[in-house]
Amino acid sequence: MIKAVRGTRDLLPPETALWNFVEAAVRDVFRAYNFQEIRTPIFESTELFARGVGEETDVVAKEMYTWEDRGRAESDRGQSLTLRPENTAGVVRAYIEHKMWDRGLNKLYYIGPQFRRERPQKGRYRQFYQIGAEVIGPASAGSESPARDAEVLEMLSTLLDRLGITGWNLELNSVGCANDRAAFNEALRKALEPVVGKMCVDCQRRAVTNPLRVFDCKVPEDQPIIEKLPRISQFLDEGCRKHFEQVQEILTKVGVPFSLNDRLVRGLDYYTRTAFEFTHGALGAQNAILGGGRYDGLSEALGGPAAPGIGFAIGEDRLVMSLQESAPAESVLKKPDVYVAALGEGMNGEAARLVRELRRHDLVVDLGDESFRLKKSFEAATKAGAKYILIVGENEVKADAFALKNLATGEQVSVQRADLAKKIRQ
RNA sequence: GUGGGAAUAGCUCAACUGGUAGAGCACCGGACUGUGGCUCCGACGGUUGCGGGUUCGAUUCCCGUUUCCCACCCCA
């Protein structure tokens, strides 16, 4: 048997109803903030991610699905392509390619699959889905304003509340701009030098490759050492500090709860200033339901003009998972308004005609087959969860009035063809 | 990439220290030829994840492998 490959999965009904519910809510909420959808290709030039996300990041260094595409002619060299491991780089690439600064401030969102070759576990798949949004444009259009950071965070809290997800926690930090981070990294390296020997092996590795990640360490013995390390907050320049303060001010004013976490670091190189994560307790080790932040230098890193931006990505798989506890898929599934039972030879055509009319009235209609015994039709209607069953038999066709039975109450009436849709909708 | 656990019918799970695979639910049919849910009866359903080994005999023990789960790592 051929099976779905490791780390990929099929989403089947009724669970897909939950995914549709989430995506409908997302489109609805984002629209209220005047975000518009962008769709970028699922594969891109490998170079885009190397330069955008960062050559040294785990995502780029060991998790990408990359292959050499054929050249157009024998003499052509192939091109290295990669399935997108995230979508921000693609959006910024499109921003540059289509000179989208001409539109002023861009507020964009996307929903789609991403690919990372990680070891699968709960809430972590090799093909996974992200819902993300990006605010990007020239600084003169307001893209750099703390108002944008706050608006994005407030939108997220609204979305989670709207979905009925309770118990989320917003963790906030500022990782500063490029200069701050350089100074901070330097100080961190210095501070680590004398103490790193006493830390866990992972920290010893991090101290060399990516000192920031030391703050992610969960080993209890290392915590007293980590507590004494310098913090990014001490290295923020005037502008970054002010910016971060204003973000917090607005959030407080609009009533979005958050907690500061100056150990919050992000794994993608492009993040600057505001960085955040929404976590949810019931997700196991993969407790980050969404994450994001500012990326003020990304456009330039990709060869574009200065274009400050802020964005986030929601792990849709994890969002659906945390939703499943409060809202089972069945509860958001639209059940048929009516099940139409064709009864007796020659009734398929009559039933089809009737069903066509009902569906044109926007009713959800399920249709049986004339070979079914009436008992079987009732069973099928009940199993489908239909509100009504409508019988299309010889007697009904002759009278042009049909037996309509409410499956919950058991009440049955004869209804003229012209009145059916109205009666069913009641 | 590392460590641990698991894999038996469509689903949830049984099967004693190795003795030849079973239940509930679901599905299909009947009791009931134009009236469902309840009940009763019946049928269907399995290379015990896959491959090798030990054994008279393996779902059971051993090795390999694949997948899933948990944790590390990393991220969403």
Side-chain angles (χ1 to χ4, degrees):
Chain A
M1 184 172 49
I2 300 173
K3 295 198 273 192
V5 306
R6 182 174 168 82
T8 71
R9 58 184 179 148
D10 301 305
L11 300 172
L12 308 174
E15 199 197 335
T16 41
L18 211 46
W19 286 71
N20 283 323
F21 169 73
V22 164
E23 288 167 20
V26 161
R27 292 178 194 280
D28 214 40
V29 169
F30 287 7
R31 194 182 46 185
Y33 291 77
N34 197 28
F35 277 72
Q36 291 183 287
E37 184 173 9
I38 182 171
R39 300 192 189 196
T40 64
I42 279 178
F43 56 90
E44 298 264 8
S45 154
T46 301
E47 189 192 358
L48 172 65
F49 303 114
R51 283 169 56 186
V53 177
E55 206 99 47
E56 301 305 315
T57 61
D58 277 14
V59 168
V60 171
K62 40 191 204 199
E63 296 174 1
M64 296 207 301
Y65 285 98
T66 296
W67 72 98
E68 202 65 26
D69 200 36
R70 275 197 307 239
R72 296 176 68 179
E74 289 284 326
S75 55
D76 268 359
R77 230 187 327 163
Q79 186 184 11
S80 180
L81 302 180
T82 293
L83 292 179
R84 62 186 189 197
E86 58 92 59
N87 217 332
T88 299
V91 169
V92 175
R93 194 222 78 234
Y95 172 86
I96 297 166
E97 184 169 341
H98 302 290
K99 302 188 179 1
M100 291 173 78
W101 49 84
D102 283 348
R103 304 164 178 232
L105 187 67
N106 292 271
K107 299 164 81 172
L108 306 165
Y109 77 90
Y110 57 83
I111 300 175
Q114 318 291 338
F115 307 84
R116 292 182 198 171
R117 200 183 175 291
E118 297 181 273
R119 181 120 163 212
Q121 68 184 72
K122 195 177 195 68
R124 193 167 82 179
Y125 305 96
R126 289 181 170 188
Q127 174 174 337
F128 60 104
Y129 295 82
Q130 283 190 338
I131 298 166
E134 316 289 351
V135 181
I136 184 171
S140 57
S143 62
E144 209 169 357
S145 166
R148 299 287 72 79
D149 304 48
E151 185 181 28
V152 161
L153 289 165
E154 190 273 321
M155 177 169 82
L156 283 165
S157 82
T158 297
L159 175 65
L160 294 181
D161 289 346
R162 161 80 173 273
L163 287 170
I165 291 175
T166 53
W168 53 263
N169 185 33
L170 165 57
E171 297 188 24
L172 202 57
N173 193 21
S174 174
V175 296
C177 44
N179 286 340
D180 304 339
R181 288 171 71 178
F184 172 57
N185 262 310
E186 188 52 40
L188 195 55
R189 270 182 215 279
K190 275 212 181 99
L192 278 168
E193 225 169 49
V195 293
V196 73
K198 286 177 259 176
M199 302 181 79
C200 68
V201 287
D202 282 327
C203 280
Q204 302 198 13
R205 177 178 51 77
R206 290 176 181 127
V208 178
T209 58
N210 193 351
L212 267 180
R213 295 226 72 87
V214 166
F215 287 108
D216 264 355
C217 178
K218 286 154 198 133
V219 176
E221 292 75 28
D222 287 4
Q223 299 311 308
I225 301 173
I226 295 169
E227 285 301 323
K228 292 196 191 97
L229 292 172
R231 297 305 166 93
I232 182 69
S233 52
Q234 301 157 347
F235 290 81
L236 298 183
D237 65 26
E238 181 71 10
C240 288
R241 214 179 57 243
K242 271 239 163 70
H243 190 276
F244 191 41
E245 274 167 16
Q246 286 179 47
V247 173
Q248 295 174 58
E249 257 169 49
I250 301 171
L251 285 178
T252 305
K253 191 128 193 167
V254 296
V256 174
F258 63 89
S259 51
L260 293 177
N261 177 0
D262 60 5
R263 289 174 57 165
L264 178 70
V265 291
R266 316 247 68 230
L268 277 42
D269 280 357
Y270 53 63
Y271 283 112
T272 56
R273 292 189 164 177
T274 310
F276 56 88
E277 220 167 72
F278 282 69
T279 56
H280 191 273
L283 289 177
Q286 312 303 324
N287 68 344
I289 205 168
L290 73 91
R294 211 161 241 298
Y295 43 85
D296 291 342
L298 179 54
S299 175
E300 287 136 299
L302 294 176
I310 179 163
F312 60 83
I314 303 170
E316 190 174 3
D317 306 77
R318 294 178 189 177
L319 186 64
V320 168
M321 206 183 296
S322 58
L323 199 56
Q324 260 159 346
E325 297 169 7
S326 54
E330 292 285 350
S331 69
V332 298
L333 193 63
K334 172 81 173 124
K335 300 282 176 54
D337 295 302
V338 60
Y339 181 98
V340 174
L343 182 66
E345 212 171 316
M347 288 299 124
N348 271 347
E350 294 289 347
R353 188 156 74 99
L354 196 56
V355 159
R356 182 169 156 93
E357 290 167 23
L358 295 176
R359 286 176 179 153
R360 287 186 173 193
H361 281 88
D362 261 351
L363 291 166
V364 180
V365 184
D366 213 353
L367 175 61
D369 183 87
E370 64 184 30
S371 69
F372 290 2
R373 286 169 48 192
L374 194 56
K375 173 189 162 62
K376 181 168 168 179
S377 294
F378 267 82
E379 284 170 349
T382 304
K383 197 193 299 173
K387 201 182 303 170
Y388 290 97
I389 184 167
L390 180 66
I391 298 167
V392 180
E394 223 172 307
N395 303 340
E396 283 79 4
V397 170
K398 246 180 237 158
D400 207 37
F402 301 81
L404 181 70
K405 183 170 184 176
N406 184 316
L407 283 164
T409 64
E411 182 199 8
Q412 181 167 332
V413 289
S414 179
V415 183
Q416 288 294 315
R417 176 186 295 268
D419 301 330
L420 275 171
K422 210 173 112 196
K423 176 73 184 167
I424 291 166
R425 197 175 295 288
Q426 280 173 1

